[in-house]
Every structure is written in structure tokens, then in C-alpha cells.
Amino acid sequence: MKKKEKLLTIGQFAAMHGINKKTLMWYDEIGLFKPAAIHPENRYRGYSYHQSPILETILLLRELGVSINEIQDFMGDRSAGRLKSLLEEKIAGLDLQVSRLQAARTLLCAHLGHMETLLGMDLSEISIIEKEERCLATVEIGQDTTFEQKVELVAAEAGKYQLGRFHHASYGSMIPVASLQDGSFGAYSKLFIEIPFLAYQDGLHRAPGGRYLRAFHQGDWEGLPGKYQEILGYAREHSLELFGFSYEMGINEDVIDRMEDYITQIEIPILG
């Protein structure tokens, strides 16, 4: 005759799975997970060790954010195919959350880098730095594009990438190096949006990796031509050939109230 299986108390079974016994009581009340037996006299719940895989599946689905109703529906018709589909759906959701958290971390690190730069910068210094290649979303502008139109263009472009809020990306302006060398210091041709983890696709701009000249300008934008003349003079003096675009970005907007305190970071790629 088969030996009767020894049952675990609700406390023992809950402890084995790292949960509160009230959770098991609730699962029993809603019909999601019932004990193997109930003592006919004291009504104590008893659980079989062989029920553990079922409970662990429920707990896993709860950790993945699956609702009780969804789990009840699945438990009513369990199959490998249904569990596979359910897990794939939730894993895809987790991957999206991870990507968003990584993007948020990258953006926060960029802001942190700006603050560290602010605290240790020498506004008169022009330096050579190394940068990795970046993919930027851009919009075309001209000298007649109004500020309001620029905001609308950037907002529309940012909307394509489901940023959620404006501060989830970094923004700046681009001016061709050829225009700078011709003395056309107001010939901005693009606005850019730097979105963390943006992979290259058609229509995006590739900001090259390699060496860049970096300089800073404090004050309103009317003083930028003077800074560019200084940068071009530095490049000539050090036999540096600049190419592509100059990338401008404000780096202290979060901590100032006056335009005269505004700091523009200027980065221009160096050929070779």
C-alpha cells in the first residue's frame, strides 16, 4: 500500500517559499492556489511538497507584474504554450523598462558630467578631447527660422522617439565648419537631439568619433562669433584642420536664472 504523503503546515510551506502565510490564505480565498488538504476537525490547511512548482510559477508571474486576474485565467488552462507566450510578453516589457532605465542613467550621467565640468572649468581654455561616435536626430533650420518654429520642429522630431518628456534628451545647434571659416557665424543649419542609446537608422546624423576642439562661451549668443574667431585662430596656430559641424550645447541651464551666466559648450571635430 502506498505510504500517505506527509503534508506541510501553512507556516512551513510559506517559509519554504519566502512568503507570508497570509498570502497563501488569500490565494486560497480567491481560488488561485488551494491547499492539498484541510483537516476535517481544526480546519488547518496542509500543503504538499509537490505543489511547490505551481506556487513558484504564480510567484514568478507576480514578480513580473502579471495581474491576479491574468494568473487566474492562466491557471484555469495551464499549458507550455500559454506560459511561453505570457513569459515572452512580460520579458519584452522588462526589456523596455531596462532600456528606459539605461537611457535615464545615461542622461543623468551626462548632466553630472556637465556639473563636474562647470565646477572645474577654465572658460578661457581651448582643449582637445576624445569623443565616441554619436547618432543624433536633427531638424533643418535657416536664418529666417523663428524661435517658436524651432521649438515646434524639435518637439515634433522628439515626439517620433517617444521621449515622454522634453528633458529625456539633450539638445543643441549645429553650424557648418565651412560657414565658420567664411565668417558666417550665424549660418546655423540644424538643431540636434541627442537621445541615449539611439541606434543608427536612415535620416539620423552621425557625429564622428575622434578628436574634437572644445571651448566654452559665457553670456548670450551674440558673443559667440568672438569665441569662434578665437577657436579658428587656435586651430591655425596649432595646424589643426577642422571639419563637419560645430556642435553647440548649453550646459548650465538647470542652475542659472540670467542669460549672462549661460555657458555654451562648443565642440568641433578635428580631421586626422
Side-chain angles (χ1 to χ4, degrees):
M1 188 171 83
K2 185 176 179 181
K3 187 177 180 180
K4 186 176 180 180
E5 181 180 10
K6 179 176 174 60
L7 297 180
L8 301 169
T9 68
I10 188 171
Q12 291 170 328
F13 197 69
M16 187 167 71
H17 292 278
I19 59 175
N20 192 300
K21 66 180 183 180
K22 289 183 179 179
T23 300
L24 288 175
M25 295 170 67
W26 180 51
Y27 286 172
D28 182 14
E29 290 169 6
I30 65 176
L32 177 60
F33 183 76
K34 291 192 166 293
I38 296 180
H39 196 282
E41 296 178 4
N42 59 28
R43 309 302 296 169
Y44 287 171
R45 296 170 173 87
Y47 293 85
S48 165
Y49 174 79
H50 297 291
Q51 290 181 282
S52 288
I54 299 173
L55 179 59
E56 282 298 325
T57 298
I58 293 172
L59 296 177
L60 171 64
L61 294 177
R62 289 296 287 153
E63 287 180 10
L64 290 174
V66 182
S67 70
I68 288 293
N69 288 339
E70 287 179 291
I71 297 175
Q72 285 178 315
D73 182 57
F74 166 73
M75 296 301 291
D77 183 23
R78 282 185 296 151
S79 70
R82 291 196 70 200
L83 182 57
K84 177 177 179 292
S85 297
L86 192 56
L87 291 175
E88 285 176 341
E89 177 188 339
K90 296 306 174 182
I91 288 170
L94 283 175
D95 287 342
L96 181 59
Q97 290 181 39
V98 169
S99 295
R100 287 175 175 169
L101 286 172
Q102 288 176 328
R105 187 183 190 282
T106 297
L107 189 61
L108 288 173
C109 287
H111 282 296
L112 176 61
H114 290 164
M115 295 306 105
E116 290 174 341
T117 298
L118 284 171
L119 292 172
M121 70 173 12
D122 178 353
L123 286 172
S124 65
E125 182 183 13
I126 298 176
S127 59
I128 297 176
I129 62 167
E130 290 281 343
K131 292 185 69 74
E132 295 183 356
E133 181 181 86
R134 298 170 294 158
C135 291
L136 307 174
T138 61
V139 294
E140 302 287 334
I141 60 170
Q143 293 189 10
D144 296 330
T145 307
T146 66
F147 177 79
E148 291 76 13
Q149 289 172 329
K150 291 176 182 178
V151 171
E152 291 175 0
L153 287 169
V154 169
E157 187 67 19
K160 297 178 183 178
Y161 300 94
Q162 300 178 336
L163 289 177
R165 291 199 296 275
F166 221 52
H167 76 272
H168 287 170
S170 299
Y171 305 86
S173 305
M174 297 165 56
I175 182 169
V177 168
S179 296
L180 296 175
Q181 292 170 336
D182 288 341
S184 301
F185 299 114
Y188 292 90
S189 61
K190 300 176 189 287
L191 301 176
F192 71 81
I193 310 168
E194 185 173 0
I195 304 169
F197 296 102
L198 184 61
Y200 181 74
Q201 53 189 285
D202 289 341
L204 292 180
H205 171 82
R206 277 182 169 164
R211 295 192 304 158
Y212 278 69
L213 268 191
R214 172 187 278 177
F216 301 95
H217 167 70
Q218 183 172 9
D220 60 36
W221 297 316
E222 292 181 1
L224 281 169
K227 177 58 69 171
Y228 274 120
Q229 290 173 338
E230 185 181 340
I231 291 170
L232 293 174
Y234 181 95
R236 286 192 298 270
E237 181 182 348
H238 293 83
S239 301
L240 301 174
E241 185 176 352
L242 308 180
F243 75 102
F245 292 86
S246 171
Y247 302 89
E248 295 180 10
M249 180 187 296
I251 64 169
N252 67 337
E253 295 167 315
D254 298 336
V255 294
I256 63 167
D257 296 315
R258 306 181 311 160
M259 190 62 191
E260 50 261 46
D261 296 324
Y262 188 88
I263 295 177
T264 302
Q265 175 182 274
I266 301 168
E267 295 180 339
I268 310 176
I270 301 170
L271 190 63

